[in-house]
Amino acid sequence: MSPFDLSGYLSRNRKLVDTALISVFDEFDRQRELVRAMTHSLMAGGKRVRPALALATASALGADPLIALPAACAIEMIHTYSLIHDDLPAMDDDDLRRGVPTCHKQFCEATAILAGDGLLTHAFHILAAPGSCFTVFPDAGIRLILVEKISAAAGVNGMVEGQMLDMQAEKNPDALPLDSQDALAHLKKIHRHKTGAMIEVSVASGAISAGADKDALTALGTYAQNIGLAFQVMDDILNVEGDPEVMGKAAGSDALHDKMTFPAILGLGGSKDFSRQLVADALEALDSYREKDFKKNSEPLRAIAGYIINRNR
Ligand code: GRG
């Protein structure tokens, strides 16, 4: 059997998602400052990992991947809002993102805050009213479940809480656990919320859009939890040894700010071992779902899990 062409798969998906995201803005005057700021960050060349996960999950369950496109686009818009706000001077104060100036550098701080607000709000609008930009979309009942799950992952018990915990850890390091096992548990908690929740809901949204059964949701949930954490471990590793040119953002900032990270607790080698174990657990979860054709159809999901810990950006 020839090896799966993940790079071709991701690039086809990226084109599909980018085209859909462009059409989301068809109803707006693109010259408006707010729209320019929103699209500056949204169309700056993100990897589109979360949309790829949603589409690959729908295909793994034998559905038309296009059924997951509205949720995939909504999630990418929410992810981009979180990056815009994360880069603000009040948070990480970064100048470069996705290889271009951050939104507040290109426009101004207030405009960047509003661009994030616009992306977050409009993500839910396209789920509520997908007809103007998508030809295929799930029924209203399914879309309501998607709104419930995606808002939960992005919000007070999800990504926003993760960001809050991360900020508190940075502002008040003396309150952090000293014992390395406790520190590791706390770090996992931060990232299960901050990074993991949106990755988990990307997979869940693909599954829900495709009408997944309970067993599929359970197996895919475990897969997503593991790759979500692996994604963050790899992000921490890249912050130590990644090339800023390739990543399109700064490296080395974690050590500079004395941040609690996986390499800081486990070392670089230990972090790499941990990320490999997480991916092995993710693949084992996929193996546990034995529905006909799932093994063959889930090949992209398996390849994405490997990519998450082998990426260089
Ligand atoms: C501001 C509410 C709020 C939340 C911010 C996601 C996040 C929470 C902050 C981003 C900081 C960060 C570097 C997190 C580590 C993992 C991560 C989400 C990296 C960025 O995602 P990628 O690598 O980026 O998928 P692209 O640009 O390819 O989409």
Side-chain angles (χ1 to χ4, degrees):
M1 208 170 68
S2 60
F4 180 70
D5 172 20
L6 180 67
S7 124
Y9 179 83
L10 289 177
S11 137
R12 282 192 303 280
N13 267 343
R14 206 178 304 124
K15 283 195 191 111
L16 189 70
V17 171
D18 285 356
T19 306
L21 285 172
I22 289 169
S23 80
V24 163
F25 285 86
D26 277 351
E27 64 176 290
F28 301 120
D29 172 359
R30 281 170 207 279
Q31 298 312 312
R32 283 167 56 191
E33 186 82 343
L34 178 61
V35 175
R36 289 204 302 121
M38 289 163 78
T39 50
H40 167 79
S41 295
L42 187 64
M43 305 314 295
K47 297 184 291 295
R48 310 300 196 212
V49 169
R50 294 156 193 79
L53 282 167
L55 302 178
T57 302
S59 312
L61 295 170
D64 175 358
L66 290 186
I67 197 72
L69 195 54
C73 289
I75 289 168
E76 188 64 20
M77 289 165 75
I78 296 169
H79 167 59
T80 304
Y81 121 74
S82 81
L83 299 180
I84 293 175
H85 282 195
D86 185 65
D87 290 334
L88 286 168
M91 295 206 185
D92 271 7
D93 195 8
D94 276 314
D95 294 351
L96 200 64
R97 169 72 68 180
R98 293 177 162 171
V100 298
T102 46
C103 199
H104 67 274
K105 281 280 162 192
Q106 182 73 24
F107 296 88
C108 69
E109 224 177 296
T111 302
I113 293 171
L114 295 173
D117 295 340
L119 284 165
L120 173 61
T121 318
H122 204 60
F124 291 104
H125 183 81
I126 65 169
L127 281 178
S132 57
C133 34
F134 300 96
T135 47
V136 181
F137 46 86
D139 292 344
I142 302 262
R143 285 187 277 121
L144 192 57
I145 299 173
L146 290 171
V147 167
E148 179 200 334
K149 301 288 180 200
I150 296 173
S151 59
V156 191
N157 280 332
M159 179 179 69
V160 175
E161 170 66 357
Q163 181 76 350
M164 186 75 195
L165 292 170
D166 199 24
M167 201 173 80
Q168 286 171 325
E170 211 170 338
K171 279 206 171 130
N172 193 3
D174 294 343
L176 291 172
L178 287 175
D179 173 80
S180 66
Q181 281 311 313
D182 292 345
L184 189 60
H186 191 66
L187 194 60
K188 284 184 189 171
K189 180 180 171 187
I190 294 176
H191 293 306
R192 173 104 203 259
H193 287 79
K194 182 177 153 183
T195 311
M198 289 302 289
I199 291 187
E200 287 176 41
V201 86
S202 302
V203 172
S205 294
I208 292 164
S209 299
D213 64 27
K214 201 165 151 275
D215 287 349
L217 285 172
T218 305
L220 287 162
T222 307
Y223 161 84
Q225 239 182 66
N226 281 292
I227 60 160
L229 192 53
F231 191 93
Q232 181 62 48
V233 178
M234 194 57 209
D235 217 74
D236 285 0
I237 294 170
L238 285 172
N239 197 283
V240 178
E241 58 176 25
D243 178 350
E245 284 279 321
V246 177
M247 294 193 294
K249 60 181 181 184
S253 53
D254 291 345
L256 201 67
H257 294 113
D258 211 11
K259 263 190 96 164
M260 181 170 69
T261 61
F262 290 99
I265 298 176
L266 299 173
L268 259 185
S271 301
K272 287 178 186 173
D273 288 346
F274 183 41
S275 70
R276 282 190 282 267
Q277 185 55 51
L278 288 165
V279 167
D281 292 347
L283 298 182
E284 196 180 302
L286 292 185
D287 289 340
S288 72
Y289 186 62
R290 296 182 185 282
E291 198 60 32
K292 186 172 161 290
D293 294 336
F294 183 74
K295 192 167 174 59
K296 174 169 64 72
N297 292 341
S298 61
E299 205 173 1
L301 282 182
R302 291 169 196 278
I304 293 172
Y307 160 78
I308 277 175
I309 58 162
N310 289 310
R311 66 200 168 95
N312 58 5
R313 61 185 278 251

